[in-house]
Amino acid sequence: MKKEKIKHRFDLGFKLNIMTIIGMVVLAIVLLLVTDIFYEQKINEIYYQRANQVADSITEGFAGAVPVSAYVDMINDESFKEAKRQAIESNDDKYIIDWMKARPSIYSFEEDVDENGNEVKRNNTFYEEYMSFSNYLKKQQEIFNLKSVYLQYVKNGVTYNLMDPTEKLTFIGSVDDPVEEFATYKDDEPIDATVYEYKGEWICTASEVISDTDINGNELVAHVCVDFDLSNVTEDRNWFLINSAVFVIVLTFVVILISLLLTRKFATKPLKQLSQGATGFAKNEDEGFSMEDVINLPIKSNDEIGDLYNEIRSMQRRIIEGTNKLTKITAERERVNTELDMAKRIQASMLPNIFPAFPDREEFDLYASMSPAKEVGGDFYDFFMIDDDNLFILIADVSDKGIPAALFMMSTKILINYRAKNGGSPGEILTDVNNQISIDNDEMMFVTVWMGILNLRTGNLKCTNAGHEYPFIRTKDEGFKIYEDKREKMVGVLPGTNYEDYELSLNKGDAIFVYTDGIPEAVNSSGEMYGMERLESRINDIEDQSPEGILRGIREDVDEFSKDTTQFDDLTMLCVEYKSK
């Protein structure tokens, strides 16, 4: 009989431990690399700034004084070249010094030497003038602790050495091939500080441009260059990297040890207990279901998770308990529906809905309605008498739907109602309410508002529009037409907004119709919108032109247009007819 091959088993704890160790080792390596890069970058930035500043400072001391043209003439002079050749062959700078001393300096220096106190001019030699500038560079080298500082003449990408206090005079006129890092720089451009390796040493170099003109008026360009020795910095960086590596290795070892202990306590051991519990629970289950009732998942793990899955497969007969869950869900849904229905009734009770609203007032007629898209909505309207002569009317639309919009709607309505009863124009009312809403508006909700105050004695209607739909105005001769008033910012968007008023004058029989965007944005089964053109056409075709007749006619037409399409937005309307002054 063929013996079945036994697969080697690695338990979950072993796998988690291996993954933890690998993850921490990778993290340690990445941390070391990031630390090294960050350290190098910061050190380079420090030396970049310092090198640029030093080069600029030394160049300012040279500016207007260094006779670049004289030094260029010197290196091109055949007699100088001969003196340089003799100095190189004899390894003695005397030939170059004698050549320089034989030439007068281009500068004159005044000195009080006359016994009568008169200033007498003393002429220096070219050598004294050259060494004066060379000593200046040497002094700057000591002050700034530079590896070297030197003057170079640049022409057509070729670099000619003019002055370096650390070199012998035979250095003058020698040609240097530019290092790779400076190969792309132009003759008349300063060199930003750059760190590079030169002859086995790390150097930070920067230069500033100094210019002069020759006797023919041609511009000559030289570079004042400074070098910082970064060898010690490189050693410090390596030492820092070694210390960081030791620290990270120790930290990694500690974290791995803690992780292994926590993995055993909070993962491996609980999973084993869960597997054993599932096995014990499955043994007590009654038989009676076919294998079709058992789940079949692609789990092939040969560890505790695989054990758990295999034991759960033997317990699937109890999963039919979903019936009980469904019962609970149904009961919960009924409870939610009951609460939403109650919220709808509460919201409806907050809006004035008894009509005629003011049966004892003959100066006007008013009607309003609101149908939420969900159980509760964010649209609302309001109207009340501020005093015997002024009627307050309002319609608004909150930026959201459902319960959040309903809560925001109720708080906004209360604030507007309270503020309006304290007096003021519509603009002043909205300015104060906007500031109150914007302060604690963490959910960033907003509300569009159209508000008006109608003086019943004069027919003057003072209004403001905070981002709401344009109203319709009906006059005796023209019927309803859209009135494109000025739209201010929506309420709740920006604290400190000042809302402006505008005024309308209503005559006997004139009316104003305001609404929310649910009317023109209602859609039918073809995806077409009801639209403003249809609204303007239908509102004038309605036979009963009383406020109530207008609202009922518009609602019937919107329902006919939408038919079986689900209502997408709240439908809210308000109409006021002015009857007499």
Side-chain angles (χ1 to χ4, degrees), residues 69 73 213-219:
S69 59
D73 291 341
T213 54
D214 59 17
I215 58 176
N216 297 320
N218 298 318
E219 184 178 13

Side-chain angles (χ1 to χ4, degrees), residues 374 377-379 397-402 404-406 445-446 569-570:
K374 298 183 178 181
D379 287 6
D397 184 3
V398 177
S399 59
D400 203 351
K401 303 292 181 291
M445 299 179 71
F446 59 86
D569 203 352
D570 303 340

Side-chain angles (χ1 to χ4, degrees), residues 39-282:
Y39 182 82
E40 179 184 10
Q41 181 180 1
K42 287 299 179 182
I43 292 297
N44 287 349
E45 287 178 358
I46 293 173
Y47 275 91
Y48 288 160
Q49 183 179 10
R50 187 177 179 188
N52 286 326
Q53 291 175 344
V54 170
D56 184 64
S57 174
I58 296 175
T59 303
E60 287 183 359
F62 262 177
V66 176
V68 175
S69 59
Y71 296 163
V72 173
D73 291 341
M74 173 183 67
I75 65 175
N76 292 322
D77 190 286
E78 294 299 327
S79 61
F80 172 78
K81 293 179 181 179
E82 176 61 24
K84 178 179 176 181
R85 183 188 64 78
Q86 293 175 353
I88 293 174
E89 289 180 353
S90 62
N91 194 25
D92 189 351
D93 288 342
K94 176 178 178 299
Y95 294 97
I96 295 178
I97 294 173
D98 292 342
W99 184 91
M100 287 184 170
K101 288 183 176 180
R103 294 170 64 95
S105 170
I106 66 173
Y107 294 106
S108 297
F109 297 89
E110 296 182 350
E111 186 177 3
D112 295 330
V113 296
D114 196 324
E115 61 182 6
N116 296 323
N118 297 323
E119 294 181 349
V120 178
K121 290 186 177 181
R122 174 173 63 84
N123 292 325
N124 286 354
T125 66
F126 185 83
Y127 174 76
E128 291 173 315
E129 175 267 326
Y130 182 89
M131 293 307 298
S132 174
F133 286 119
S134 180
N135 290 333
Y136 168 77
L137 289 184
K138 187 173 183 179
K139 183 176 180 181
Q140 299 303 309
Q141 180 179 359
E142 295 172 354
I143 292 174
F144 294 109
N145 193 25
L146 299 172
K147 177 181 177 63
S148 58
V149 55
Y150 44 93
L151 181 67
Q152 293 182 328
Y153 165 60
V154 182
K155 182 177 181 181
N156 300 327
V158 180
T159 301
Y160 301 89
N161 293 302
L162 299 181
M163 184 180 297
D164 188 340
T166 62
E167 297 284 351
K168 298 178 68 174
L169 291 179
T170 52
F171 172 78
I172 301 173
S174 60
V175 178
D176 282 344
D177 293 328
V179 297
E180 182 180 352
E181 287 75 10
F182 304 142
T184 59
Y185 280 90
K186 297 180 180 179
D187 297 352
D188 57 352
E189 290 182 351
I191 297 176
D192 290 332
T194 304
V195 174
Y196 61 98
E197 187 177 14
Y198 182 69
K199 296 182 179 179
E201 295 181 343
W202 285 98
I203 300 173
C204 179
T205 295
S207 80
E208 284 291 335
V209 173
I210 184 170
S211 61
D212 193 11
T213 54
D214 59 17
I215 58 176
N216 297 320
N218 298 318
E219 184 178 13
L220 302 175
V221 176
H223 281 216
V224 178
C225 305
V226 298
D227 289 345
F228 280 94
D229 187 359
L230 298 187
S231 299
N232 293 334
V233 175
T234 303
E235 293 177 2
D236 292 341
R237 173 189 168 196
N238 294 335
W239 181 245
F240 173 79
L241 185 61
I242 292 172
N243 289 336
S244 299
V246 172
F247 173 77
V248 170
I249 290 172
V250 173
L251 180 62
T252 301
F253 177 79
V254 173
V255 172
I256 289 175
L257 181 61
I258 295 174
S259 178
L260 296 180
L261 295 175
L262 293 177
T263 300
R264 173 179 169 80
K265 181 177 180 180
F266 294 108
T268 308
K269 187 175 180 180
L271 282 174
K272 287 182 178 180
Q273 292 173 346
L274 181 60
S275 177
Q276 294 170 358
T279 302
F281 184 78

Side-chain angles (χ1 to χ4, degrees), residues 406-573:
L407 294 174
F408 194 76
M409 160 259 179
M410 287 189 285
S411 63
T412 305
K413 180 180 179 298
I414 292 171
L415 289 173
I416 293 177
N417 186 292
Y418 176 79
R419 176 60 184 82
K421 290 180 179 179
N422 287 330
S425 69
E428 293 171 341
I429 294 170
L430 277 192
T431 297
D432 292 343
V433 171
N434 175 69
N435 289 334
Q436 289 181 283
I437 292 176
S438 301
I439 292 174
D440 298 318
N441 190 8
D442 295 336
E443 300 300 324
M444 301 301 293
M445 299 179 71
F446 59 86
V447 56
T448 66
V449 178
W450 184 93
M451 180 190 301
I453 298 178
L454 175 62
N455 187 297
L456 301 177
R457 289 192 304 106
T458 64
N460 177 265
L461 179 60
K462 187 172 290 187
C463 319
T464 189
N465 188 336
H468 200 74
E469 303 296 315
Y470 292 130
F472 279 82
I473 306 296
R474 184 187 69 192
T475 60
K476 182 178 180 181
D477 299 328
E478 297 184 355
F480 278 104
K481 287 188 176 298
I482 297 175
Y483 182 79
E484 296 185 359
D485 55 2
K486 180 182 178 182
R487 289 177 175 174
E488 307 282 352
K489 290 184 177 65
M490 295 164 285
V491 176
V493 173
L494 184 64
T497 300
N498 291 319
Y499 293 88
E500 298 180 1
D501 299 316
Y502 67 91
E503 294 186 7
L504 300 173
S505 181
L506 300 184
N507 296 311
K508 182 177 180 180
D510 291 351
I512 184 166
F513 171 77
V514 287
Y515 53 96
T516 59
D517 58 5
I519 301 296
E521 293 179 5
V523 297
N524 59 18
S525 57
S526 301
E528 299 173 331
M529 295 181 64
Y530 188 79
M532 294 296 294
E533 292 183 2
R534 182 179 178 118
L535 176 58
E536 185 175 9
S537 174
R538 293 298 187 270
I539 196 172
N540 286 301
D541 291 342
I542 296 172
E543 184 176 350
D544 182 3
Q545 284 290 302
S546 68
E548 181 178 359
I550 290 171
L551 265 61
R552 293 189 186 280
I554 293 297
R555 179 57 196 267
E556 290 174 0
D557 192 62
V558 171
D559 291 343
E560 175 64 23
F561 175 79
S562 301
K563 292 185 178 179
D564 298 332
T565 305
T566 302
Q567 183 178 329
F568 175 75
D569 203 352
D570 303 340
L571 305 178
T572 306
M573 299 174 282

